[in-house]
Amino acid sequence: MGYNDWAAEFCALNQSLFTDTADFMLSSGLQKAGYNRLNLDDCWQLHDRAANGSFQWDPEKFPNGIPWLAKYMNDRGFSLGIYSDAGNKTCGGYMGSLGYEELDAATFASWGIDYLKLDGCNMPDPSEATYKQIYGRWHDVLENLAQPLIFSESAPAYFAEAENLTDWYSVMDWVPKYGQLARHSRDTLVFNSTLYWPNITGWDSIMFNYGQNVRLARYQKPGYFNDPDFLNVDHANYTMAEKMSHFALWSSLSAPLIISANVPALTKDDIAYLTNTDIIAVDQDPLGLQATLVSQDGTWDVLTKDLAGGDRLLTILNRGNFTANYTVSLARAGIISDTTVPYRVKNLWTGTLSHVSNQITATSVPSHGTAIFRIQGLGTPIKVVPTGMIFNTFSLNCLTASTNETLSWTVCNGSDSQVWQVAADGTVRSLLSSSQCLTDGGFNSTATITQCSFDQKQSWKYHLSGNLKAASSRMCLTEADNGLVHSTACGYETNEQVIALPGGVEIW
Ligand code: GLA
C-alpha cells in the first residue's frame, strides 16, 4: 500500500512532491491506514551514468539526493521504492539496467531503497525466453543483497492481449517465483490518457484491468500478488461510485493499493473511502487470496473468497446503468449453509450488521458501484465448497450445464447452469443439480454432465497451468470449435485449455 507519482505527474516528479505527499499521508491518516510506501517512477534519473557506471539521480529534481529522500521517508515511517527497466532504456527513454543489474541493485540498496519496479520496455528481443532470463537474473541479484528488495515485475504486461496467450501464461508461471508482485496488463489511465489509450473512459479502464486480473487468480498466494495497477483516484473521468468500486474491487482481489494521484489535493470524501479499515483488512487479509467469480451476467459480477479467521467475502459489482438491488444465495457464496444457525453479515461500506440464513441482498447499489460484505459464522465455523464460474481465460466463455447431459462453452449469463461446485473429492457439480457431475468422455470425446457415481471419469484435478485434467484419461477439458466441450490431450497452456476455476480448489 502506498503512493506512486506516475499517473498524476508523468516525468514531473521531484523531491518536494515526495516530501509533501509523505507529510500529507501522515497528517491525513493515510499512513495510519496502511499506505506506508512511496515509489519513484520513471524519469528520476539523469540520461547518463556516472564515470563508474552507476545511475545518477537528476540533481535538479532531487537537490538533496535520493539517499536523503529515503532517510526522510524512513524517519517518518515510510519506505522508498524506485523504478528501472530490464532493457536498454526505460519506457520514458531514460537509461535501462540491462548489463548493469548488480551495480544498479547495489546502488539502490546503498541509497536506502527497499523496492524496485522493473519495467520491460526496450528489451534486446521480445521473446518470453529473454524476459525470463533477464528477470531471473534480477531475482538472483536482488536475493543476494543483504536486504533483498521487494521486486515488482512488469514482464507479464508485455505478453497480455496476444492472439495466443501461451506466452502470457508462461510468464505468469515464473513471476511468482522471482518476485512479490507483477503488472499483468495495461496502464491505469494517466491524467491525460489519450497518449496511452484514446477514447477510453476511466470506468472502461478499471473494468479492463479487473477483467485481466480475474483470469489469473490461480497464481496469487501469500508472498505473490497480481498487480492490476494504480488507484488513479483523482482522474477527472470517474464518479464517486466508480472510485469506490475501484478500491473495493482491488481490495477484494488483495491487489496492491498504490495511489497515483495528487495526494495533498485529495478530497475528504476520497480520504474517507481510501481509509476504510474493514475494506483494507480484506485487501491485506493474511490468506492473500484473490476473490474469484461466482457469476457474471453482463450487469452483475459476484465474487467471493475465504478470509482469515474462517470468514467469507461477498462482493457484488453493478456494471449496469441504474441503481438496483441484487440477491445472492449463501450457496452461491460457496457456503454450505446450516439454516438453523444464522450468519452475521457486515456491510463493509456502512458498517451495518445483519443476520441471514439463506441469502444476502445488496440494496440500492448505484450504477458502477460495488457492495462488499464480510460473512461470519456464529458459533460454528463456515463450511465452504469452492463455488462459481468455470471459464476459459482466453474466450471468457463459461462452462454451461444442461438438463440433458450436454455441456457447452457459452457467453456467461449468471444462471445456475454456469455456477459450479468443485468438491474436495474432485467432482465438479452444477448448481442446476447437485447429483449431476462433470464427466470425462476420454480421448477426443465430448465431456458430459451425468449422474454422480464415484466413477473415476468424474474426478478432476486443477493444475497451475490452468488445465482441468480428468483423473482417468489424463485428458484436459477443452473449448472446441462451436463451443463444444471436449476432452483432448493436454497441450502447453493453449488458448483452448486454460481455464479459471472458483478459488479454494486444490491446485496441483
Ligand atoms: C510503463 C509503465 C507505467 C510507467 C511508465 C513509465 O508505461 O507501465 O506504469 O512506469 O512505463 O515510463
Side-chain angles (χ1 to χ4, degrees):
M1 294 173 67
Y3 164 79
N4 176 300
D5 57 277
W6 181 255
E9 311 292 341
F10 270 14
C11 283
L13 75 176
N14 61 38
Q15 179 175 301
S16 60
L17 171 72
F18 273 73
T19 55
D20 290 352
T21 299
D23 294 350
F24 182 83
M25 287 166 80
L26 264 172
S27 64
S28 62
L30 281 166
Q31 188 202 49
K32 187 156 172 277
Y35 299 90
N36 60 8
R37 140 173 323 287
L38 288 92
N39 294 337
L40 303 162
D41 210 284
D42 205 352
C43 317
W44 59 268
Q45 60 282 68
L46 284 182
H47 278 287
D48 297 315
R49 288 177 177 269
N52 70 357
S54 64
F55 262 135
Q56 312 181 85
W57 59 80
D58 183 332
E60 281 184 19
K61 290 175 178 164
F62 297 97
N64 294 356
I66 287 188
W68 177 91
L69 188 62
K71 183 162 184 326
Y72 185 95
M73 296 303 162
N74 296 164
D75 288 348
R76 287 156 184 78
F78 294 104
S79 305
L80 188 67
I82 207 158
Y83 169 100
S84 191
D85 190 284
N88 292 306
K89 283 201 154 103
T90 69
C91 302
Y94 285 79
M95 294 282 305
S97 282
L98 187 66
Y100 292 88
E101 291 80 4
E102 289 190 3
L103 178 61
D104 289 352
T107 304
F108 296 150
S110 75
W111 289 351
I113 301 283
D114 78 346
Y115 174 111
L116 172 65
K117 168 176 167 182
L118 189 70
D119 220 329
C121 279
N122 307 305
M123 294 288 270
D125 74 73
S127 70
E128 186 268 324
T130 295
Y131 276 78
K132 184 176 184 188
Q133 190 203 358
I134 297 174
Y135 277 80
R137 188 187 306 161
W138 268 101
H139 164 75
D140 295 345
V141 167
L142 295 177
E143 285 299 308
N144 283 333
L145 293 171
Q147 278 291 332
L149 305 191
I150 297 168
F151 189 20
S152 163
E153 306 162 88
S154 298
Y158 293 87
F159 297 89
E161 298 178 59
E163 294 212 349
N164 178 341
L165 290 183
T166 301
D167 283 344
W168 193 45
Y169 301 138
S170 303
V171 176
M172 287 306 306
D173 289 339
W174 51 257
V175 284
K177 296 180 191 139
Y178 293 165
Q180 288 70 46
L181 63 159
R183 282 280 312 280
H184 50 67
S185 53
R186 292 195 188 192
D187 287 10
T188 209
L189 289 196
V190 291
F191 69 97
N192 62 349
S193 61
T194 47
L195 190 66
Y196 277 69
W197 200 356
N199 309 322
I200 198 80
T201 67
W203 180 245
D204 287 342
S205 146
I206 295 178
M207 287 295 94
F208 185 87
N209 283 12
Y210 154 80
Q212 297 291 74
N213 211 86
V214 295
R215 303 172 192 221
L216 304 173
R218 65 187 175 280
Y219 292 108
Q220 190 160 301
K221 58 185 184 192
Y224 169 75
F225 299 89
N226 293 323
D227 180 5
D229 210 10
F230 309 131
L231 298 175
N232 50 350
V233 177
D234 60 359
H235 194 277
N237 201 233
Y238 294 139
T239 65
M240 195 53 160
E242 291 172 343
K243 294 199 271 191
M244 291 168 76
S245 271
H246 198 173
F247 173 72
L249 290 171
W250 266 223
S251 295
S252 301
L253 301 170
S254 279
L257 298 179
I258 303 176
I259 299 168
S260 196
N262 180 0
V263 169
L266 292 182
T267 65
K268 283 213 157 50
D269 288 347
D270 285 329
I271 305 286
Y273 81 78
L274 288 167
T275 55
N276 179 311
T277 48
D278 283 332
I279 298 179
I280 288 175
V282 168
D283 182 73
Q284 298 286 312
D285 187 85
L287 298 182
L289 294 171
Q290 178 175 319
T292 56
L293 283 162
V294 172
S295 62
Q296 278 185 316
D297 66 5
T299 301
W300 298 94
D301 278 24
V302 178
L303 303 112
T304 56
K305 69 173 177 179
D306 283 340
L307 294 165
D311 294 356
R312 190 92 176 139
L313 177 77
L314 179 66
T315 301
I316 303 175
L317 158 67
N318 179 3
R319 294 175 182 252
N321 294 328
F322 306 100
T323 299
N325 298 346
Y326 193 78
T327 297
V328 178
S329 67
L330 290 183
R332 280 186 172 227
I335 296 175
I336 305 174
S337 58
D338 174 350
T339 44
T340 61
V341 191
Y343 297 84
R344 195 176 85 150
V345 177
K346 187 170 190 183
N347 177 327
L348 301 186
W349 282 127
T350 61
T352 313
L353 294 173
S354 58
H355 292 95
V356 303
S357 47
N358 52 21
Q359 62 184 35
I360 294 171
T361 299
T363 51
S364 304
V365 187
S367 166
H368 300 177
T370 296
I372 176 166
F373 302 98
R374 186 176 189 118
I375 309 168
Q376 269 184 324
L378 289 174
T380 46
I382 295 181
K383 276 192 228 138
V384 170
V385 61
T387 301
M389 281 165 40
I390 295 179
F391 65 99
N392 177 316
T393 64
F394 175 76
S395 71
L396 304 181
N397 285 329
C398 271
L399 183 66
T400 308
S402 73
T403 48
N404 66 1
E405 300 200 347
T406 61
L407 288 164
S408 58
W409 295 101
T410 47
V411 173
C412 300
N413 59 26
S415 69
D416 278 355
S417 61
Q418 295 182 343
V419 182
W420 299 87
Q421 295 177 323
V422 187
D425 63 6
T427 58
V428 180
R429 299 160 192 250
S430 138
L431 277 199
L432 262 191
S433 162
S434 61
S435 61
Q436 300 273 309
C437 285
L438 178 66
T439 307
D440 174 31
F443 181 64
N444 278 357
S445 307
T446 312
T448 52
I449 175 153
T450 59
Q451 187 69 27
C452 299
S453 62
F454 301 102
D455 190 300
Q456 275 287 297
K457 286 185 182 155
Q458 295 179 339
S459 177
W460 298 83
K461 276 185 181 163
Y462 188 48
H463 292 253
L464 192 63
S465 61
N467 290 153
L468 186 61
K469 271 191 199 173
S472 52
S473 69
R474 314 287 299 154
M475 294 291 120
C476 278
L477 200 73
T478 304
E479 176 168 354
D481 289 347
N482 306 324
L484 294 175
V485 184
H486 282 170
S487 300
T488 58
C490 300
Y492 177 69
E493 303 185 350
T494 64
N495 284 352
E496 296 75 26
Q497 293 180 334
V498 176
I499 288 161
L501 253 61
V505 171
E506 191 172 357
I507 299 179
W508 298 81

Coordinates of all heavy atoms in Angstrom, one line a residue, residues 4 6 41-43 83 90-92 117 119 121 154 158 183 185-187 196 229-230, ligand 1:
N4 N 2.5 6.2 -5.8 CA 3.5 6.2 -7.0 C 3.1 7.5 -7.7 O 1.9 7.8 -7.9 CB 3.4 5.0 -7.8 CG 4.2 5.1 -9.1 OD1 4.1 5.9 -9.9 ND2 5.1 4.1 -9.2
W6 N 3.4 8.3 -11.0 CA 3.3 8.3 -12.5 C 2.0 8.8 -13.0 O 2.0 9.7 -13.9 CB 3.6 6.9 -13.0 CG 3.5 6.8 -14.5 CD1 2.5 6.3 -15.3 CD2 4.5 7.4 -15.4 NE1 2.8 6.5 -16.6 CE2 4.0 7.2 -16.7 CE3 5.7 8.1 -15.3 CZ2 4.7 7.6 -17.9 CZ3 6.4 8.5 -16.4 CH2 5.8 8.2 -17.7
D41 N 8.6 6.7 -9.8 CA 8.5 6.1 -11.1 C 9.6 6.6 -12.1 O 10.6 7.2 -11.6 CB 7.1 6.2 -11.6 CG 6.7 5.0 -12.5 OD1 7.1 4.9 -13.7 OD2 6.0 4.1 -12.0
D42 N 9.4 6.5 -13.3 CA 10.3 6.8 -14.4 C 10.7 8.3 -14.3 O 10.0 9.1 -13.8 CB 9.7 6.5 -15.7 CG 10.8 6.2 -16.8 OD1 11.9 6.4 -16.5 OD2 10.3 5.8 -17.9
C43 N 11.9 8.6 -14.8 CA 12.4 10.0 -15.0 C 13.0 10.6 -13.8 O 13.2 11.8 -13.7 CB 11.3 10.9 -15.6 SG 10.3 10.3 -16.9
Y83 N 12.2 2.9 -9.6 CA 11.8 2.4 -10.9 C 13.1 2.2 -11.8 O 13.9 3.1 -11.9 CB 10.9 3.3 -11.6 CG 10.6 3.1 -13.1 CD1 9.4 2.4 -13.4 CD2 11.4 3.5 -14.1 CE1 9.1 2.2 -14.8 CE2 11.1 3.2 -15.4 CZ 10.0 2.6 -15.8 OH 9.7 2.4 -17.1
T90 N 14.4 2.8 -20.4 CA 13.1 2.8 -19.7 C 12.0 3.1 -20.7 O 12.3 3.5 -21.9 CB 13.0 3.9 -18.6 OG1 12.9 5.1 -19.2 CG2 14.1 3.8 -17.6
C91 N 10.7 2.9 -20.3 CA 9.6 3.3 -21.2 C 9.6 4.7 -21.6 O 9.2 5.2 -22.6 CB 8.3 2.8 -20.6 SG 8.2 1.1 -20.2
G92 N 10.2 5.6 -20.7 CA 10.2 7.0 -20.9 C 11.5 7.4 -21.6 O 11.8 8.6 -21.8
K117 N 10.5 -1.4 -8.9 CA 9.5 -1.7 -10.0 C 10.4 -1.8 -11.3 O 11.0 -0.9 -11.7 CB 8.5 -0.6 -10.2 CG 7.7 -0.7 -11.4 CD 6.6 0.4 -11.4 CE 6.0 0.6 -12.8 NZ 5.0 1.7 -12.8
D119 N 10.5 -2.4 -15.1 CA 9.7 -2.4 -16.3 C 10.3 -3.2 -17.4 O 11.5 -3.7 -17.3 CB 9.5 -0.9 -16.8 CG 8.1 -0.7 -17.3 OD1 7.5 -1.7 -17.8 OD2 7.5 0.4 -17.2
C121 N 10.3 -2.4 -21.0 CA 10.4 -1.8 -22.4 C 11.8 -2.0 -22.9 O 12.7 -2.3 -22.2 CB 10.2 -0.3 -22.3 SG 8.4 0.2 -22.2
S154 N 7.2 -6.1 -14.2 CA 6.2 -5.7 -15.2 C 6.2 -6.6 -16.4 O 5.4 -6.4 -17.4 CB 6.5 -4.3 -15.7 OG 6.5 -3.3 -14.7
Y158 N 3.8 -7.3 -21.0 CA 4.3 -7.3 -22.4 C 3.8 -8.5 -23.2 O 4.1 -8.6 -24.4 CB 5.8 -7.1 -22.4 CG 6.2 -5.8 -21.9 CD1 6.3 -5.6 -20.5 CD2 6.3 -4.7 -22.7 CE1 6.6 -4.3 -20.0 CE2 6.5 -3.4 -22.2 CZ 6.7 -3.2 -20.8 OH 6.9 -2.0 -20.3
R183 N 2.8 -6.6 -12.7 CA 1.9 -5.9 -13.5 C 1.6 -6.8 -14.7 O 2.5 -7.2 -15.4 CB 2.6 -4.6 -14.0 CG 2.6 -3.5 -13.1 CD 1.3 -2.7 -13.0 NE 0.8 -2.5 -14.3 CZ 1.2 -1.5 -15.1 NH1 2.1 -0.6 -14.7 NH2 0.7 -1.3 -16.3
S185 N -1.1 -6.2 -17.0 CA -1.9 -5.7 -18.1 C -1.6 -4.2 -18.3 O -0.5 -3.8 -18.1 CB -3.4 -6.0 -17.9 OG -3.8 -5.5 -16.7
R186 N -2.6 -3.6 -18.8 CA -2.4 -2.2 -19.3 C -2.2 -1.2 -18.1 O -2.5 -1.5 -17.0 CB -3.6 -1.7 -20.0 CG -3.8 -2.4 -21.3 CD -4.8 -1.6 -22.2 NE -5.1 -2.4 -23.4 CZ -5.8 -1.9 -24.4 NH1 -6.2 -0.6 -24.4 NH2 -6.0 -2.6 -25.5
D187 N -1.7 0.0 -18.5 CA -1.5 1.1 -17.5 C -2.9 1.6 -17.1 O -3.8 1.8 -18.0 CB -0.8 2.2 -18.1 CG 0.7 1.9 -18.2 OD1 1.1 0.7 -18.1 OD2 1.5 2.9 -18.5
Y196 N -2.0 7.1 -24.2 CA -1.9 5.7 -24.0 C -3.1 4.9 -24.6 O -3.0 3.8 -25.1 CB -2.0 5.3 -22.5 CG -0.7 5.4 -21.8 CD1 -0.1 6.7 -21.6 CD2 0.0 4.3 -21.4 CE1 1.1 6.8 -21.0 CE2 1.2 4.4 -20.7 CZ 1.8 5.7 -20.6 OH 3.0 5.8 -20.0
D229 N -2.5 -2.5 -11.4 CA -2.0 -1.1 -11.5 C -2.7 -0.2 -10.5 O -3.5 -0.6 -9.7 CB -2.1 -0.6 -12.9 CG -1.0 0.4 -13.2 OD1 -0.1 0.6 -12.4 OD2 -1.1 1.1 -14.3
F230 N -2.4 1.1 -10.6 CA -2.7 2.1 -9.6 C -4.1 2.4 -9.4 O -5.0 2.3 -10.3 CB -2.0 3.5 -10.0 CG -0.6 3.4 -10.4 CD1 -0.2 4.0 -11.6 CD2 0.3 2.8 -9.6 CE1 1.2 4.0 -11.9 CE2 1.7 2.8 -9.9 CZ 2.1 3.4 -11.1
Ligands
GLA1 C1 5.1 2.0 -18.3 C2 4.5 1.5 -17.0 C3 4.0 2.7 -16.3 C4 5.1 3.7 -16.0 C5 5.7 4.1 -17.3 C6 7.0 5.0 -17.1 O1 4.2 2.5 -19.2 O2 3.5 0.6 -17.2 O3 3.4 2.3 -15.0 O4 6.0 3.1 -15.2 O5 6.1 3.0 -18.1 O6 7.6 5.3 -18.3

